[in-house]
Amino acid sequence: MPTIKQLFQPDSRLATTVRGFAPRASQTTMAEAVAKALKQRGQLVVEAETGTGKTYAYLVPTLLSDGKAIISTGTKNLQEQLFHRDLPALKAVLAPNKSVALLKGRGNYLCLHRLNQALIASGQHNKTLQSQLVAVRSWSQRTDDGDVGTINILQEDAEVLPQVTSTAENCLGRDCPDFDDCYVVKARKKALEADLVVVNHHLFFADMALKDVGFGELIPAADAVIFDEAHQLPDIASQYFGEAVSSRQVQELAHEMKLLYLATLKDLKQLDKAADKLLTSLRDFRLVFANDPSRGNWRTFRQQAAVQAAALVVEEHLSFFHEVLKSALGRHNDLDNGYERCGQFLHKWQQLQDTSRTGYSFWFETTPRQFTLHQTPLSVADKFGGYLRASNMAWIFTSATLAVNEDFHHFTDQLGLHQPTTLCLPSPFDFQQQALLCLPRYLPQPHERGMAEAILQIVTQVLDANQQGGTFVLFTSHRMLQMIAQQLALVTERPLLVQGSTSKRDLLEQFITQGNGVLLGTSSFWEGVDVRGDALRCVIIDKLPFASPDDPLLQARVEDCQLRGIDAFAQVQLPQAVIALKQGAGRLIRDASDRGVLIVCDQRLVSKPYGGIFLQSLPNMRRSRDLNDAIEFLQQCDTP
């Protein structure tokens, strides 16, 4: 068996048989470190900048190692890419006998029982939902794996999907009449038997937190866990180690019980009335918040008398609904399951009214019609770090953005990692030749009124110069995005693609197809987007991506730092913003032949002492304060 180093040579089996494989020194270094961590069952943290080839660097040693491995990604796109493109190519060459499996969250799989229940009550649904149900029923007769993502005629947010998929709360488990044919059960069984399983971070932490009944056996069976896009882990882990209850969850339960009354338990009129009262109280509670979608501090907000009164009404009607369900236990499996779920919602609701507990951030978020209350731990270090120390497994964390000025403490401290091996690998790209970083002079401060007009002028000048290439304009707020989008539509005839107008996937496909489009996006386009070649020649960032000071979780963490005598800006706000900026900047150069300009419209990069930390963390591009230099660079990109 060849060594890892031999496999990453220009004349190796990988180089001669795997299409697109190109050996890189940093990739070999990472692969050897991963192999060592797998063998010693250690902890490894690797920042591998764009172009390193980190995917192959962890897949090759994982395929060659003994034991079971879990690979967790931050996005479904990367999860699909790993399983359908990268893994098959490497597995065929290195480990043809190894079994691999793709496992998604249960919401991605058709629930046969819920489909049947929805079809029985189809007369109660609107025309759109009825039409979608017909399409799902037709598709269900020919699917092999039940993955609803393959129903091409449905949008990602189709109204029918929550009706025909299950959640951890409404799944009947072994009591389900369709248990033997359940797609979730089949997918999990395949995952448990596989040598290598590809999951995503949300699914991983659902398992670790034992929130998803019947799925807690996957992680303990593994010998190694590898996290790609690991920079997302602290925030995702916090979600799963906390508690939340949403009006949508409770409303779905109430509507399910109403349909059960109409279809089966027709003598249980009180169930229908109790559900209606609960639905009314939830709508009334939503009215105590502002009309526009918002996030805020729940601990502070609930001090209002009107809020407390409305919350008490919800609790009373939830308790009554629970009692009505209790009185009919044993009459139907769905009702018994509803009773259990209602009890869980009632417990969480009562828990979220007690905001005097320390160590948590209590916050709310609303949409035009819904609300969610959250209790999020300020730190997951003890719980997650303790889990790692108690396990006899290898733990590998990698991303293009984990370090701040080559220091990993911000990341490792958040997760409670104990003296891991760390590795910071530079990109093989020649950023000095391929890219220019422009910090234009004479711009207003980000908070000043003239900022929107200044950004608009920069964008229009860039578009005039970048005639044959595409442009990303990345924003830290939806408000600024909409302001620029409205003005830009009046002054350019270029294809204008605005986040929110259609799905992220459709926007990217249109952007790449157009070749010289302009895409305006916020946070979801700062990472996980891979556009190569002339389709993306310029990335414009409106300002440094500091978290909003109104963010309740940030407020709680800042307050916690202050109580402990720690500089919250240096320890919390600055590292998060540096990593976010690195992600946004990473959209520009994705290939050795790419060329382009990064423009950051924030004077604080040069006027504030912390600006140097941002600049030192970015790729080593040529820099200029003159926008004309950026325009000239873009014009040269059109020259053969």
Side-chain angles (χ1 to χ4, degrees), residues 232-244:
Q232 300 178 6
L233 292 181
D235 285 341
I236 293 176
S238 293
Q239 295 175 32
Y240 283 89
F241 292 150
E243 295 285 0

PDB file of all heavy atoms in Angstrom, residues 232-244:
ATOM      1  N   GLN A 232     -18.710  27.025  11.227  1.00  0.00           N
ATOM      2  CA  GLN A 232     -20.122  27.178  11.564  1.00  0.00           C
ATOM      3  C   GLN A 232     -20.503  26.471  12.871  1.00  0.00           C
ATOM      4  O   GLN A 232     -21.598  26.692  13.399  1.00  0.00           O
ATOM      5  CB  GLN A 232     -20.994  26.620  10.436  1.00  0.00           C
ATOM      6  CG  GLN A 232     -20.810  27.280   9.094  1.00  0.00           C
ATOM      7  CD  GLN A 232     -21.682  26.640   8.027  1.00  0.00           C
ATOM      8  OE1 GLN A 232     -22.500  25.774   8.299  1.00  0.00           O
ATOM      9  NE2 GLN A 232     -21.499  27.051   6.789  1.00  0.00           N
ATOM     10  N   LEU A 233     -19.631  25.617  13.379  1.00  0.00           N
ATOM     11  CA  LEU A 233     -20.007  24.730  14.481  1.00  0.00           C
ATOM     12  C   LEU A 233     -20.433  25.436  15.767  1.00  0.00           C
ATOM     13  O   LEU A 233     -21.430  25.032  16.383  1.00  0.00           O
ATOM     14  CB  LEU A 233     -18.861  23.760  14.788  1.00  0.00           C
ATOM     15  CG  LEU A 233     -18.560  22.719  13.721  1.00  0.00           C
ATOM     16  CD1 LEU A 233     -17.423  21.823  14.177  1.00  0.00           C
ATOM     17  CD2 LEU A 233     -19.788  21.874  13.420  1.00  0.00           C
ATOM     18  N   PRO A 234     -19.707  26.455  16.257  1.00  0.00           N
ATOM     19  CA  PRO A 234     -20.116  27.042  17.545  1.00  0.00           C
ATOM     20  C   PRO A 234     -21.559  27.525  17.568  1.00  0.00           C
ATOM     21  O   PRO A 234     -22.288  27.254  18.529  1.00  0.00           O
ATOM     22  CB  PRO A 234     -19.123  28.200  17.722  1.00  0.00           C
ATOM     23  CG  PRO A 234     -17.893  27.756  16.984  1.00  0.00           C
ATOM     24  CD  PRO A 234     -18.433  27.042  15.774  1.00  0.00           C
ATOM     25  N   ASP A 235     -21.993  28.208  16.505  1.00  0.00           N
ATOM     26  CA  ASP A 235     -23.367  28.719  16.487  1.00  0.00           C
ATOM     27  C   ASP A 235     -24.385  27.600  16.340  1.00  0.00           C
ATOM     28  O   ASP A 235     -25.441  27.614  16.983  1.00  0.00           O
ATOM     29  CB  ASP A 235     -23.541  29.734  15.350  1.00  0.00           C
ATOM     30  CG  ASP A 235     -22.892  31.072  15.665  1.00  0.00           C
ATOM     31  OD1 ASP A 235     -22.634  31.339  16.852  1.00  0.00           O
ATOM     32  OD2 ASP A 235     -22.624  31.835  14.721  1.00  0.00           O
ATOM     33  N   ILE A 236     -24.084  26.614  15.495  1.00  0.00           N
ATOM     34  CA  ILE A 236     -25.029  25.509  15.297  1.00  0.00           C
ATOM     35  C   ILE A 236     -25.140  24.669  16.566  1.00  0.00           C
ATOM     36  O   ILE A 236     -26.241  24.274  16.982  1.00  0.00           O
ATOM     37  CB  ILE A 236     -24.605  24.638  14.102  1.00  0.00           C
ATOM     38  CG1 ILE A 236     -24.730  25.439  12.801  1.00  0.00           C
ATOM     39  CG2 ILE A 236     -25.455  23.366  14.017  1.00  0.00           C
ATOM     40  CD1 ILE A 236     -24.244  24.719  11.566  1.00  0.00           C
ATOM     41  N   ALA A 237     -24.008  24.410  17.223  1.00  0.00           N
ATOM     42  CA  ALA A 237     -24.036  23.639  18.466  1.00  0.00           C
ATOM     43  C   ALA A 237     -24.874  24.346  19.519  1.00  0.00           C
ATOM     44  O   ALA A 237     -25.632  23.706  20.266  1.00  0.00           O
ATOM     45  CB  ALA A 237     -22.619  23.415  18.977  1.00  0.00           C
ATOM     46  N   SER A 238     -24.764  25.672  19.588  1.00  0.00           N
ATOM     47  CA  SER A 238     -25.542  26.437  20.567  1.00  0.00           C
ATOM     48  C   SER A 238     -27.037  26.233  20.365  1.00  0.00           C
ATOM     49  O   SER A 238     -27.804  26.116  21.322  1.00  0.00           O
ATOM     50  CB  SER A 238     -25.220  27.928  20.462  1.00  0.00           C
ATOM     51  OG  SER A 238     -23.904  28.196  20.864  1.00  0.00           O
ATOM     52  N   GLN A 239     -27.463  26.177  19.104  1.00  0.00           N
ATOM     53  CA  GLN A 239     -28.883  25.978  18.810  1.00  0.00           C
ATOM     54  C   GLN A 239     -29.378  24.646  19.371  1.00  0.00           C
ATOM     55  O   GLN A 239     -30.467  24.560  19.938  1.00  0.00           O
ATOM     56  CB  GLN A 239     -29.128  26.002  17.302  1.00  0.00           C
ATOM     57  CG  GLN A 239     -28.849  27.326  16.622  1.00  0.00           C
ATOM     58  CD  GLN A 239     -29.000  27.215  15.115  1.00  0.00           C
ATOM     59  OE1 GLN A 239     -29.809  26.442  14.611  1.00  0.00           O
ATOM     60  NE2 GLN A 239     -28.192  27.984  14.385  1.00  0.00           N
ATOM     61  N   TYR A 240     -28.580  23.607  19.197  1.00  0.00           N
ATOM     62  CA  TYR A 240     -29.034  22.267  19.569  1.00  0.00           C
ATOM     63  C   TYR A 240     -28.865  21.966  21.047  1.00  0.00           C
ATOM     64  O   TYR A 240     -29.507  21.058  21.575  1.00  0.00           O
ATOM     65  CB  TYR A 240     -28.339  21.212  18.707  1.00  0.00           C
ATOM     66  CG  TYR A 240     -28.937  21.160  17.330  1.00  0.00           C
ATOM     67  CD1 TYR A 240     -28.449  21.966  16.315  1.00  0.00           C
ATOM     68  CD2 TYR A 240     -30.033  20.356  17.062  1.00  0.00           C
ATOM     69  CE1 TYR A 240     -29.025  21.971  15.059  1.00  0.00           C
ATOM     70  CE2 TYR A 240     -30.618  20.337  15.813  1.00  0.00           C
ATOM     71  CZ  TYR A 240     -30.116  21.140  14.810  1.00  0.00           C
ATOM     72  OH  TYR A 240     -30.706  21.147  13.566  1.00  0.00           O
ATOM     73  N   PHE A 241     -28.009  22.720  21.729  1.00  0.00           N
ATOM     74  CA  PHE A 241     -27.867  22.537  23.171  1.00  0.00           C
ATOM     75  C   PHE A 241     -28.792  23.486  23.929  1.00  0.00           C
ATOM     76  O   PHE A 241     -28.768  23.526  25.146  1.00  0.00           O
ATOM     77  CB  PHE A 241     -26.415  22.753  23.598  1.00  0.00           C
ATOM     78  CG  PHE A 241     -25.486  21.679  23.091  1.00  0.00           C
ATOM     79  CD1 PHE A 241     -24.157  21.968  22.819  1.00  0.00           C
ATOM     80  CD2 PHE A 241     -25.933  20.392  22.873  1.00  0.00           C
ATOM     81  CE1 PHE A 241     -23.293  20.984  22.351  1.00  0.00           C
ATOM     82  CE2 PHE A 241     -25.086  19.402  22.396  1.00  0.00           C
ATOM     83  CZ  PHE A 241     -23.760  19.697  22.140  1.00  0.00           C
ATOM     84  N   GLY A 242     -29.598  24.243  23.193  1.00  0.00           N
ATOM     85  CA  GLY A 242     -30.571  25.130  23.810  1.00  0.00           C
ATOM     86  C   GLY A 242     -31.978  24.568  23.645  1.00  0.00           C
ATOM     87  O   GLY A 242     -32.184  23.394  23.343  1.00  0.00           O
ATOM     88  N   GLU A 243     -32.949  25.441  23.857  1.00  0.00           N
ATOM     89  CA  GLU A 243     -34.349  25.067  23.705  1.00  0.00           C
ATOM     90  C   GLU A 243     -35.045  26.150  22.891  1.00  0.00           C
ATOM     91  O   GLU A 243     -34.658  27.325  22.927  1.00  0.00           O
ATOM     92  CB  GLU A 243     -35.045  24.936  25.064  1.00  0.00           C
ATOM     93  CG  GLU A 243     -34.519  23.817  25.942  1.00  0.00           C
ATOM     94  CD  GLU A 243     -34.970  22.444  25.490  1.00  0.00           C
ATOM     95  OE1 GLU A 243     -35.699  22.344  24.475  1.00  0.00           O
ATOM     96  OE2 GLU A 243     -34.589  21.452  26.146  1.00  0.00           O
ATOM     97  N   ALA A 244     -36.093  25.760  22.174  1.00  0.00           N
ATOM     98  CA  ALA A 244     -36.884  26.733  21.421  1.00  0.00           C
ATOM     99  C   ALA A 244     -38.283  26.176  21.229  1.00  0.00           C
ATOM    100  O   ALA A 244     -38.482  24.957  21.175  1.00  0.00           O
ATOM    101  CB  ALA A 244     -36.239  27.031  20.068  1.00  0.00           C
TER     102      ALA A 244
END
